[in-house]
């Protein structure tokens, strides 16, 4: 017989206390750690604009959280932000970016663009070499562009290269890669011919699908060429170690043409997926740079880490889409407009997302050169006026308190999407009496349903620009685009985008895109909510980086300052 | 019948049973992952159909399902789990080879601690049944069982890493320091569970006739406990430990995530979410083989510990 006794009171009380302290989490704990944090010295710069050696920390090792394990370090197969971050450190394309995001010369020191904007001639740096000492030649780029587009490579970012002449035919296997419009005129001169003038082409060349790979090592090691010990690269850093899902260590490439200006000795990338785990690692001094911060802790972070919290605009729009192929949204833009108007965006950005996201009524986020983001008239109204107009339109569409609109809002499983969808549903209910049901779906299921356009009514969407050009956003709504999950189709819009593609005069092209965005917004295929921000913690000792809308931060620009009282402030991470 | 004959016969029978079990496992998982909506290469950025086709051809996903199935069976025969769809630079074999030692270390040490402390505490509590010490330890054990590790882990991190700074808040570098907190987090509920199991079964054994006989013969209490009571009382603990060890040494998803540990556990979830068919199949099969192996070990231990169980009955 087993005797069973009730749990004694003392254990229970202790347990409750432990549970309560645990539930408090970051929200209520006292940040004892903060008192121990050292402050960096004030930087002093040399005449060349570099930090004076006297202000630098002795140990130049950057510990950088990269969000997740990169899928690959083969630049031509890579997609996604984590791989992109590492590859921009390891490799260098024809162009690169400055800390504030401007396109600057990379492996090419200069270039010419023909009058018809279809032929680019790049002049490579003669001093540039591979990390094994081999010279970097125009032939390397020819080989690499062909490899990137070759169907046998099966790259999922090869569509970045579609502006290049014959790229599409090569990609589908209709032509051999040798016919791609990339040619070495001599050892150090590379010519690229485009099928359409593509004003953002120089920016595209900072994408990893255009990076050069070292032919001899690819041919020798095959799929294993991206392993430590095998990988030969041409960027400011080389791959030293790769422990899957633990760390990727890069060391300074002494053979990089600009190695004299690379201050960091080592960069350690961590794939920490859990945002609160990453926050704790930052707080205990193991990270200089987090990938993101937990969504619900803005106030705590703002209070306790005001110098470390960095929030800056990102080239992305957060919106919901309408399925225009299914009732009740097939015909009537008035009903869709009512739903767009009835959302108090400031309430959502201030109470729900909280990190300084900008309320938006448009598709294209602000911050792209001279492009003027199209803002509808009602953006200037008060929310009360918008609500009133929303009610009028809602009633005109035949709905009311007795006859409410019943719809489903679909989103992929995520705490943040859930909160935003919930806020929208309750605002609709409050203002219009709409009966909205929330449905969350696992990511792959969501993607399939969204592109299927059968089940969806209102669904979470959003887009982060691949390159800083409005076209990256506008192309999503072309009639037959693979990403047009809205079923939007407008011949005027399509023809405007066609004109954009072949227009080579920047001002005219910009006006065509503005016209297209205006046409789109008038038909209300989406519910814009806000523009994205990037939010992370950065150790104040880490300098040399700057905000940019692409959120591209090359480690080669960064360095660590010395602490005020200690020569080597930075503890080695575990 | 000698012990050896029985052992050999039993092992042979178990090993023969493994083949259909694994075949069933492979078949079910193979088709199940493919039934799930969405594919490994579906992303937010819709791929042009040509690229999609190139990718599918590269990974043989364009072949008829049955052909893929037999191709996979053929690979399994030579212990090749194939390339991962998600981590493209690595094969599933390499991912398991990198992740398993980490999980094995953390889970193995946690299980060892769980066994030693659990049995010790359980026996101690049983011997002082209904005393204050018994109530207190069992109270804590109840807590240990009921507080989930996603609550315990952050508290440990805050106390020992963020405030005190004694241990790293996460990450893995094969040092004992990076192992302490995850091992403790995993071991606590195991200690608690085994302590409760052990206490219960020890009390039951102590009330049985053969113990009464031993005591009546005047054996010292120490000998009664260690020589006569402990072995039979361990039986429920041993049968719990088989599958529990398999689960622990293949990694805990929660603990791996909170401590950012590159073990095997996350692959079960990541692999499934990413529709990384080969990775999911690989880790599930690996786990399956481990469970079967550990169950055989448990059965063997059982027959050693309990003479009442003959091999034929297994």
């Amino acid at each position: 017989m087993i005797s069973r006794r009730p749990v004694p009171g003392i254990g229970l009380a202790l347990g409750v206390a432990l549970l309560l302290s645990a539930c408090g989490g970051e929200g209520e704990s006292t940040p004892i750690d903060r008192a121990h944090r050292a402050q960096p010295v004030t930087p002093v710069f040399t005449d060349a604009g570099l930090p004076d050696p006297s202000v630098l920390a002795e140990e130049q090792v950057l510990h950088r959280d990269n969000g997740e394990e990169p899928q690959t370090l083969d630049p031509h197969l890579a997609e996604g932000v984590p791989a992109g971050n590492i590859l921009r450190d390891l490799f260098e394309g024809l162009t690169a970016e400055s800390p504030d995001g401007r396109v600057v010369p990379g492996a090419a020191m200069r270039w010419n663009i023909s009058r018809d904007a279809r032929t680019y001639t790049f002049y490579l740096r003669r001093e540039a070499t591979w990390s094994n000492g081999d010279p970097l030649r125009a032939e390397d780029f020819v080989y690499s562009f062909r490899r990137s587009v070759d169907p046998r490579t099966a790259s999922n970012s090869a569509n970045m290269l579609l502006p290049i002449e014959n790229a599409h035919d090569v990609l589908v296997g209709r032509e051999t890669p040798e016919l791609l419009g990339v040619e070495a005129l001599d050892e150090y001169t590379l010519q690229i011919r485009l099928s359409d003038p593509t004003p953002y082409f120089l920016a595209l060349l900072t994408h990893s699908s255009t990076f050069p790979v070292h032919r001899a090592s690819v041919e020798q090691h095959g799929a294993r060429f991206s392993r430590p010990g095998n990988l030969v690269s041409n960027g400011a850093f080389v791959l030293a170690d790769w422990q899957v899902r633990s760390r990727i260590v890069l060391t300074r490439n002494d053979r990089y043409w600009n190695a004299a200006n690379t201050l960091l000795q080592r960069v350690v990338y961590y794939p920490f997926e859990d945002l609160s785990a990453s926050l704790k690692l930052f707080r205990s001094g193991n990270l200089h740079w987090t990938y993101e911060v937990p969504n619900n802790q803005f106030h705590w972070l703002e209070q306790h880490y005001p110098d470390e919290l960095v929030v800056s605009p990102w080239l992305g729009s957060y919106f919901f889409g309408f399925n225009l192929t299914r009732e009740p949204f097939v015909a009537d833009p008035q009903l869709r407009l009512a739903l767009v108007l009835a959302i108090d965006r400031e309430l959502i950005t201030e109470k729900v997302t909280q990190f300084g996201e900008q309320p938006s009524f448009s598709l294209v986020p602000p911050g792209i050169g001279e492009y003027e983001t199209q803002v509808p008239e009602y953006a200037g109204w008060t929310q009360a006026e918008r609500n009133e107009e929303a009610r009028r339109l809602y009633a005109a569409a035949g709905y009311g308190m007795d006859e409410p609109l019943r719809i489903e809002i679909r989103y992929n499983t995520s705490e943040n999407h859930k909160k935003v969808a919930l806020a929208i549903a309750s605002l609709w209910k409050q203002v219009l009496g709409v009966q909205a049901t929330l449905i969350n779906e696992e990511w792959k299921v969501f993607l399939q349903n969204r592109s299927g356009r059968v089940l969806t009514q209102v669904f979470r969407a959003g887009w982060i620009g691949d390159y800083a050009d409005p076209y990256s956003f506008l192309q999503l709504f072309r009639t037959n685009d693979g990403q047009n999950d809205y079923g939007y189709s407008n011949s005027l819009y399509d023809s405007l985008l066609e004109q954009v593609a072949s227009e080579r005069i920047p001002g005219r092209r910009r006006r065509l895109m503005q016209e297209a965005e205006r046409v789109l917004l008038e038909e209300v295929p989406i519910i814009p909510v806000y523009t994205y921000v990037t939010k992370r913690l950065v150790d104040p000792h880490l300098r040399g980086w700057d905000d940019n809308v692409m959120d591209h931060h090359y480690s080669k620009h960064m360095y660590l300052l010395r602490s005020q009282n200690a020569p080597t402030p930075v503890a080695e991470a575990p | 019948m000698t012990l050896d004959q029985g052992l050999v016969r039993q092992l042979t029978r178990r090993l023969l049973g493994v083949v259909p079990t694994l075949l069933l496992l492979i078949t079910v998982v193979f088709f199940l992952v493919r039934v799930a909506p969405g594919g490994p290469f579906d992303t937010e950025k819709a791929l042009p159909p040509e690229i999609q086709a190139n990718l599918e051809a590269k990974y043989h996903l364009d072949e008829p399902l049955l052909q893929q199935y037999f191709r996979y069976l053929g690979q399994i025969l030579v212990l090749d789990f194939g390339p991962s769809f998600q981590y493209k630079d690595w094969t599933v074999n390499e991912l398991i080879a990198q992740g398993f030692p980490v999980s094995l270390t953390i889970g193995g040490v946690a299980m060892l601690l769980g066994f030693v402390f659990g049995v010790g505490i359980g026996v101690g509590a049983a011997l002082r049944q209904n005393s204050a010490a018994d109530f207190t330890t069992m109270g804590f054990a109840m807590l240990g069982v009921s507080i989930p590790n996603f609550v315990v882990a952050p508290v440990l991190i805050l106390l020992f890493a963020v405030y005190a700074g004694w241990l790293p808040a996460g990450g893995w570098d094969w040092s004992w320091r990076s192992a302490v907190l995850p091992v403790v987090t995993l071991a606590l509920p195991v200690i608690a569970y085994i302590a409760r199991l052990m206490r219960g079964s020890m009390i039951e054994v102590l009330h049985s006739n053969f113990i009464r006989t031993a005591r009546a013969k005047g054996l010292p209490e120490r000998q009664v406990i260690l020589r006569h009571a402990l072995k039979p009382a361990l039986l429920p603990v041993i049968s719990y430990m088989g599958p529990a060890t398999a689960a622990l040494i293949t990694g805990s998803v929660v603990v791996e995530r909170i401590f950012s540990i590159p073990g095997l556990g996350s692959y079960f979830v990541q692999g499934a979410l990413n529709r990384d068919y080969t990775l999911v199949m690989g880790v599930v099969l690996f786990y399956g083989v481990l469970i079967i192996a550990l169950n055989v070990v448990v059965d063997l231990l059982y027959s050693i510990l309990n003479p009442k169980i003959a091999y034929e009955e297994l």
Side-chain angles (χ1 to χ4, degrees):
Chain A
M1 176 205 110
I2 299 174
S3 71
R4 294 197 183 278
R5 296 282 157 182
V7 178
I10 176 169
L12 197 66
L14 268 167
V16 169
L18 192 65
L19 263 176
L20 283 179
S21 72
C23 295
E26 250 82 42
E28 284 158 30
S29 54
T30 338
I32 302 171
D33 49 322
R34 201 172 170 229
H36 302 303
R37 275 181 289 151
Q39 289 300 311
V41 295
T42 314
V44 182
F45 295 95
T46 62
D47 295 339
L50 289 167
D52 191 85
S54 67
V55 300
L56 289 177
E58 212 167 292
E59 193 181 66
Q60 293 290 325
V61 180
L62 168 62
H63 296 281
R64 185 170 174 174
D65 181 13
N66 202 25
E68 59 182 87
E69 177 74 13
Q71 295 191 358
T72 167
L73 289 184
D74 179 339
H76 299 159
L77 296 183
E79 55 173 343
V81 175
N85 287 338
I86 300 174
L87 290 168
R88 276 189 296 275
D89 282 354
L90 287 174
F91 292 90
E92 185 169 61
L94 293 164
T95 62
E97 289 152 288
S98 63
D100 61 358
R102 282 172 295 117
V103 173
V104 296
M109 59 183 173
R110 62 190 177 85
W111 48 82
N112 291 330
I113 305 173
S114 68
R115 278 188 62 86
D116 67 355
R118 284 193 172 88
T119 306
Y120 284 65
T121 311
F122 293 91
Y123 301 93
L124 304 189
R125 294 178 194 277
R126 284 162 195 257
E127 70 274 28
T129 64
W130 290 97
S131 54
N132 66 352
D134 290 356
L136 178 70
R137 303 237 167 82
E139 269 305 326
D140 290 314
F141 279 96
V142 174
Y143 168 75
S144 302
F145 275 98
R146 286 177 183 167
R147 177 178 184 268
S148 195
V149 181
D150 193 326
R152 283 169 300 176
T153 307
S155 159
N156 22 5
S157 15
N159 47 347
M160 297 293 281
L161 300 177
L162 286 180
I164 300 176
E165 194 177 87
N166 290 334
H168 184 262
D169 287 347
V170 175
L171 193 64
V172 301
R174 211 177 296 147
E175 297 284 4
T176 58
E178 286 68 37
L179 285 170
L180 188 70
V182 179
E183 197 182 338
L185 300 185
D186 63 45
E187 258 193 327
Y188 296 101
T189 313
L190 182 78
Q191 193 175 74
I192 302 181
R193 291 181 305 278
L194 305 182
S195 36
D196 281 318
T198 310
Y200 52 90
F201 185 65
L202 290 172
L204 274 190
L205 295 175
T206 67
H207 188 270
S208 68
S209 57
T210 72
F211 289 171
V213 291
H214 186 251
R215 180 172 194 163
S217 48
V218 172
E219 286 174 350
Q220 186 189 340
H221 301 293
R224 291 165 172 260
F225 88 94
S226 56
R227 303 285 178 88
N230 296 351
L231 187 64
V232 175
S233 62
N234 73 324
F237 295 89
V238 289
L239 181 63
D241 188 20
W242 183 357
Q243 305 287 329
V244 178
R245 288 179 48 245
S246 179
R247 72 194 59 211
I248 291 179
V249 183
L250 315 187
T251 50
R252 187 171 176 275
N253 177 6
D254 295 330
R255 290 195 165 111
Y256 179 55
W257 62 269
N258 199 14
N261 290 337
T262 313
L263 295 170
L264 291 175
Q265 286 297 330
R266 227 154 32 105
V267 183
V268 188
Y269 278 99
Y270 298 95
F272 297 146
E273 287 169 12
D274 189 81
L275 294 182
S276 58
S278 167
L279 171 58
K280 291 192 183 74
L281 282 154
F282 183 86
R283 289 177 64 190
S284 50
N286 299 130
L287 287 174
H288 297 112
W289 177 279
T290 71
Y291 184 71
E292 222 188 318
V293 289
N295 274 315
N296 52 357
Q297 298 199 339
F298 177 69
H299 293 295
W300 188 88
L301 290 167
E302 194 189 32
Q303 197 183 341
H304 298 297
Y305 287 87
D307 301 335
E308 288 83 356
L309 181 62
V310 179
V311 177
S312 82
W314 197 12
L315 192 69
S317 295
Y318 188 102
F319 52 90
F320 282 76
F322 290 111
N323 180 356
L324 304 175
T325 67
R326 189 185 160 194
E327 289 302 345
F329 300 119
V330 176
D332 196 355
Q334 303 307 311
L335 175 64
R336 300 196 293 270
L337 185 56
L339 294 174
V340 167
L341 290 171
I343 296 169
D344 185 346
R345 286 160 180 76
E346 281 181 17
L347 187 84
I348 290 178
T349 55
E350 276 169 26
K351 302 288 181 207
V352 181
T353 60
Q354 297 186 347
F355 273 91
E357 288 84 354
Q358 283 304 304
S360 167
F361 290 91
S362 319
L363 168 68
V364 180
I368 306 179
E370 292 170 58
Y371 182 82
E372 288 168 29
T373 292
Q374 297 302 293
V375 182
E377 189 199 343
Y378 48 78
W381 301 353
T382 65
Q383 188 57 41
E385 287 167 340
R386 284 193 287 262
N387 287 349
E388 195 179 317
E389 177 67 3
R391 278 187 213 103
R392 192 186 68 75
L393 292 169
Y394 185 67
Y399 297 96
M401 286 301 166
D402 306 329
E403 198 68 38
L405 173 68
R406 291 175 206 279
I407 45 171
E408 292 171 350
I409 307 179
R410 231 167 253 272
Y411 57 94
N412 55 300
T413 312
S414 134
E415 203 52 37
N416 193 46
H417 299 332
K418 182 176 160 185
K419 285 187 199 158
V420 174
L422 197 62
I424 288 176
S426 58
L427 285 166
W428 281 349
K429 186 172 170 64
Q430 198 183 319
V431 177
L432 305 172
V434 171
Q435 304 279 339
T437 317
L438 301 190
I439 299 178
N440 86 81
E441 292 175 329
E442 187 232 331
W443 180 235
K444 297 267 182 179
V445 179
F446 175 72
L447 286 179
Q448 193 171 39
N449 286 341
R450 200 169 80 172
S451 60
R453 301 199 300 230
V454 175
L455 289 173
T456 48
Q457 288 184 314
V458 174
F459 54 89
R460 192 233 134 208
W463 193 252
I464 309 287
D466 285 322
Y467 39 87
D469 190 276
Y471 193 75
S472 177
F473 291 84
L474 295 169
Q475 48 133 358
L476 304 174
F477 296 86
R478 279 182 316 200
T479 297
N480 288 320
D481 193 274
Q483 283 146 154
N484 187 343
D485 298 336
Y486 318 87
Y488 179 74
S489 176
N490 179 321
S491 50
L492 173 59
Y493 186 84
D494 290 345
S495 82
L496 280 169
L497 283 207
E498 253 169 60
Q499 292 174 56
V500 170
S502 55
E503 180 59 61
R504 64 184 174 85
I505 298 167
R508 221 185 282 166
R509 181 172 178 274
R510 196 164 61 236
R511 279 191 294 280
L512 284 168
M513 291 194 293
Q514 288 172 184
E515 172 73 16
E517 188 182 11
R518 197 157 54 239
V519 168
L520 182 87
L521 291 174
E522 267 169 25
E523 295 198 81
V524 209
I526 59 167
I527 307 168
V529 183
Y530 59 79
T531 53
Y532 277 101
V533 291
T534 57
K535 39 190 197 275
R536 66 167 53 91
L537 291 164
V538 182
D539 190 315
H541 292 85
L542 184 68
R543 300 292 168 89
W545 57 275
D546 199 353
D547 293 341
N548 63 71
V549 291
M550 294 301 291
D551 198 34
H552 288 175
H553 303 280
Y554 294 66
S555 301
K556 67 177 178 182
H557 299 136
M558 301 184 192
Y559 53 89
L560 287 158
L561 290 178
R562 172 167 77 74
S563 281
Q564 275 169 9
N565 298 319
T568 46
V570 185
E572 181 76 13
Chain B
M1 179 196 71
T2 68
L3 186 122
D4 281 353
Q5 271 180 335
L7 196 70
V8 169
R9 200 179 308 157
Q10 183 201 347
L11 275 180
T12 322
R13 198 187 307 160
R14 291 302 289 252
L15 287 178
L16 284 179
V18 166
V19 176
T21 312
L22 285 181
L23 194 64
L24 186 71
L25 185 68
I26 293 173
T27 312
V28 169
V29 178
F30 182 91
F31 290 101
L32 212 57
V33 290
R34 280 165 176 77
V35 164
F41 306 115
D42 289 352
T43 66
E44 195 161 20
K45 294 180 179 162
L47 295 176
E50 298 85 13
I51 298 182
Q52 185 90 29
N54 294 345
L55 277 166
E56 287 178 358
K58 182 170 170 180
Y59 291 98
H60 305 292
L61 292 176
D62 53 343
E63 295 172 356
L65 210 52
L66 269 182
Q67 194 178 338
Q68 291 183 45
Y69 173 68
F70 286 112
R71 175 189 292 279
Y72 189 77
L73 284 185
Q75 280 180 292
I76 291 296
L77 283 180
V78 292
L79 296 180
D80 173 13
F81 290 128
S84 162
F85 295 170
Q86 169 76 7
Y87 306 106
K88 294 182 180 171
D89 297 1
W90 307 92
T91 65
V92 174
N93 293 48
E94 287 171 322
L95 293 175
I96 293 179
Q98 286 203 32
F100 182 58
V102 180
S103 299
L104 179 65
T105 307
I106 295 176
V109 175
M111 198 27 123
L112 196 70
L113 290 179
F115 180 74
V116 171
F117 283 95
V119 168
I121 292 171
V123 170
L127 293 180
R128 292 168 190 75
Q129 196 187 347
N130 299 346
S131 68
D134 180 24
F135 286 145
T136 315
T137 46
M138 283 306 113
F140 273 109
M142 190 66 208
L143 271 179
V145 174
S146 43
I147 300 181
N149 45 20
F150 58 82
V151 174
V152 174
V155 173
L156 291 178
I157 295 177
L158 274 181
L159 291 180
F160 295 100
V162 177
Y163 296 157
W166 295 334
L167 296 164
W172 180 256
D173 60 356
W174 285 105
S175 71
W176 66 270
R177 296 178 76 244
S178 64
V180 173
L181 293 183
V183 165
V184 169
T185 306
L186 277 180
L188 282 178
V190 179
I191 294 176
Y193 194 81
I194 291 184
R196 290 184 60 79
L197 265 182
M198 193 65 206
R199 176 183 178 274
S201 89
M202 193 66 173
I203 287 172
E204 197 175 291
V205 170
L206 286 177
H207 282 102
S208 61
N209 289 333
F210 72 95
I211 294 293
R212 229 173 282 157
T213 314
R215 282 188 177 142
K217 284 200 302 190
L219 287 179
E221 186 65 12
R222 196 186 154 77
Q223 207 172 334
V224 172
I225 303 300
L226 290 182
R227 186 166 300 168
H228 297 283
L230 195 58
K231 264 200 204 168
L234 274 176
L235 287 177
V237 174
I238 299 294
S239 50
Y240 157 77
M241 279 181 66
T245 306
L248 269 191
I249 64 179
T250 45
S252 146
V253 181
V254 175
V255 168
E256 282 180 13
R257 192 176 165 90
I258 295 179
F259 291 103
S260 309
I261 288 170
L264 273 192
S266 313
Y267 289 141
F268 290 92
V269 176
Q270 286 296 332
L273 289 179
N274 294 322
R275 306 290 189 270
D276 192 340
Y277 301 151
T278 45
L279 183 60
V280 173
M281 302 270 324
V283 289
V284 168
L285 263 178
F286 187 74
Y287 183 46
V289 169
L290 267 178
I291 286 224
I292 292 172
L294 284 164
N295 274 332
V296 171
V297 172
V298 165
D299 290 348
L300 288 177
L301 282 176
Y302 234 81
S303 47
I304 292 168
L305 288 176
N306 189 354
K308 277 193 287 186
I309 297 178
Y311 295 114
E312 278 77 6
E313 292 171 26
L314 290 171

